[in-house]
């Protein structure tokens, strides 16, 4: 799809708590700061307010250049949060916002929530029968208030095609980078993540809960091993080998990686291999067999199997979505 206009919805009339600014800032930074050396044109960000700030509204208020009319014609609409009263006290989501979200979706917009923004999407009926998530502290209220929504409190984000939801805080950043990856490819998303000094890609299925009982030194101690693994994805890698490099037993390595990343070593390796394959498909004309070999996925058939299962499209369709001038031997 064309990246086009991103409408970022701020519920100004009911005030913003200081922590709500985090999700607003995430989306504004990812979609509102041009990156002409990565992709030109970049997204066109519209910050859209819901109503006018009330004099006695709690928290902070923002002046926005657009009202809800800014959602018209947007390719993507993002609701980063709703006021606490809509979550904790059952105050209805403003009806004009609900109506605007329904209209935007009916007109073909991709609709996204970060954290408690899921309550607005649910109120608009956009999550009915869909799997969705929010910050784990609020998923119980979401499930109770909207039993027709398949609430999953164990994941960072859920991509259901034209409707996407995420947990709170940094999971919102993961989802925003996932959108960039969908729209502009792995290379652009990885470079943007590097500029933001965050991990390039955390799959949506990774757990919200990370066991912090593991000492920070253990987590940091895995970094050289994981960096080495990323640099050698074209070779067979086993848990035993990685554990030896980390100077721990395989069982300890499994436990440390699970606690540090929320996923298993085998799934972590598969995620890295697929990310490498995506970059090669975007930036080179290498054959599918060569892409599979360089990413450690073995054969073209295996590459296709994992692409279809994890990404939802074939490698060939993925490559055609990102036409670029490249040479056949680039990345070899």
């Amino acid at each position: 799809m064309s990246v086009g206009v991103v409408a970022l919805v701020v519920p100004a009339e009911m005030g913003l708590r200081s922590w709500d600014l985090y999700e607003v800032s995430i989306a504004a930074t990812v979609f509102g700061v041009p990156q002409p050396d990565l992709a030109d044109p970049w997204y066109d960000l519209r910050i859209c307010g819901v109503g006018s700030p009330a004099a006695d509204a709690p928290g902070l208020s923002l002046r926005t250049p657009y009202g809800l009319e800014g959602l018209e014609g947007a390719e993507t609409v993002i609701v980063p949060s709703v006021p606490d009263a809509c979550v904790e006290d059952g105050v209805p989501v403003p009806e004009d916002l609900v109506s605007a979200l329904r209209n935007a979706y009916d007109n073909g917009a991709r609709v996204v929530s970060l954290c408690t923004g899921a309550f607005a999407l649910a109120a608009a009926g956009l999550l009915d029968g869909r799997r969705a998530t929010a910050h784990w502290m609020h998923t119980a209220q979401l499930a109770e208030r909207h039993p027709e929504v398949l609430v999953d409190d164990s994941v960072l984000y859920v991509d259901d095609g034209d409707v996407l939801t995420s947990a709170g805080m940094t999971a919102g950043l993961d989802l925003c980078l996932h959108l960039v990856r969908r729209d502009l490819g792995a290379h652009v998303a990885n470079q943007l993540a590097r500029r933001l000094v965050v991990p390039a890609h955390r799959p949506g299925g990774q757990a919200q809960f990370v066991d912090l009982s593991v000492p920070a030194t253990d987590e940091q101690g895995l970094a050289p091993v994981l960096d080495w693994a990323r640099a050698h994805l074209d070779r067979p890698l086993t848990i035993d080998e990685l554990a030896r490099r980390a100077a721990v037993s395989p069982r300890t390595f499994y436990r440390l990686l699970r606690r540090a990343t929320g996923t298993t070593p085998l799934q972590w390796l598969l995620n890295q291999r697929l990310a490498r394959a995506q970059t090669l498909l975007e930036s080179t004309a290498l054959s599918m067999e060569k892409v599979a070999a360089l990413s450690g996925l073995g054969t073209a058939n295996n590459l296709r199997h994992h692409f279809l299962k994890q990404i939802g499209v074939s490698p060939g369709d993925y490559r055609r979505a990102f036409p670029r001038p490249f040479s056949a031997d680039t990345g070899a």
Side-chain angles (χ1 to χ4, degrees):
M1 63 175 288
S2 169
V3 293
V5 174
V6 173
L8 178 60
V9 180
V10 180
E13 68 179 3
M14 301 183 75
L16 287 168
R17 302 289 185 179
S18 57
W19 51 81
D20 293 330
L21 290 176
Y22 186 79
E23 280 92 6
V24 172
S25 298
I26 283 170
T29 299
V30 170
F31 301 108
V33 179
Q35 308 286 343
D37 58 321
L38 296 182
D40 193 16
W42 194 249
Y43 298 87
D44 178 11
L45 180 69
R46 298 177 187 168
I47 300 181
C48 307
V50 182
S52 301
D56 59 348
L60 306 171
S61 61
L62 296 179
R63 293 182 179 178
T64 61
Y66 295 90
L68 287 174
E69 77 281 354
L71 275 63
E72 297 177 10
E75 279 74 18
T76 304
V77 175
I78 300 177
V79 185
S81 66
V82 296
D84 277 1
C86 296
V87 179
E88 302 296 340
D89 303 326
V91 173
V93 175
E95 184 54 40
D96 52 351
L97 172 57
V98 170
S99 178
L101 289 173
R102 288 178 183 145
N103 289 337
Y105 179 78
D106 289 342
N107 289 324
R110 174 175 62 183
V111 183
V112 180
S113 68
L114 313 181
C115 197
T116 60
F119 285 79
L121 272 59
L126 302 183
L127 300 182
D128 290 0
R130 295 180 187 260
R131 181 167 160 263
T133 194
H135 193 292
W136 61 268
M137 291 180 66
H138 307 301
T139 48
Q141 292 104 314
L142 181 63
E144 180 180 1
R145 202 162 303 155
H146 299 280
E148 64 279 7
V149 180
L150 307 177
V151 178
D152 187 343
D153 65 0
S154 66
V155 295
L156 295 177
Y157 57 86
V158 176
D159 180 344
D160 199 27
D162 53 359
V163 177
L164 302 91
T165 56
S166 84
M169 308 305 284
T170 55
L173 180 53
D174 291 320
L175 179 53
C176 288
L177 288 172
H178 172 73
L179 291 170
V180 174
R181 182 179 295 269
R182 264 183 52 170
D183 295 342
L184 298 171
H187 174 74
V188 172
N190 291 348
Q191 291 302 309
L192 180 59
R194 184 179 181 188
R195 293 175 184 184
L196 296 174
V197 198
V198 295
H201 181 50
R202 290 201 298 170
Q206 185 166 317
Q208 288 191 38
F209 307 99
V210 176
D211 186 351
L212 298 181
S213 62
V214 60
T217 52
D218 287 342
E219 194 169 319
Q220 294 165 359
L222 293 180
V225 178
L226 301 185
D227 288 343
W228 179 88
R230 291 188 190 97
H232 296 84
L233 291 172
D234 58 335
R235 57 179 286 179
L237 297 172
T238 65
I239 296 176
D240 287 348
E241 181 179 11
L242 297 177
R244 282 196 301 272
R245 288 185 171 273
V248 296
S249 70
R251 178 175 293 183
T252 298
F253 180 81
Y254 182 101
R255 185 176 67 254
L256 293 178
L257 186 64
R258 181 82 188 211
R259 288 177 175 175
T261 68
T263 191
T264 66
L266 291 179
Q267 186 61 51
W268 182 88
L269 276 172
L270 177 59
N271 293 339
Q272 303 306 311
R273 295 190 191 285
L274 286 170
R276 173 66 171 152
Q278 287 177 293
T279 299
L280 292 172
L281 289 169
E282 293 170 26
S283 59
T284 79
L286 295 170
S287 69
M288 294 300 172
E289 289 288 351
K290 189 67 172 176
V291 169
L294 289 174
S295 59
L297 290 170
T299 66
N301 283 339
N302 203 35
L303 171 67
R304 178 179 175 82
H305 167 77
H306 287 295
F307 241 75
L308 286 170
K309 183 176 180 180
Q310 301 289 331
I311 300 174
V313 297
S314 71
D317 286 342
Y318 184 87
R319 171 173 271 169
R320 283 187 287 274
F322 301 99
R324 298 175 184 275
F326 43 57
S327 62
D329 60 353
T330 302

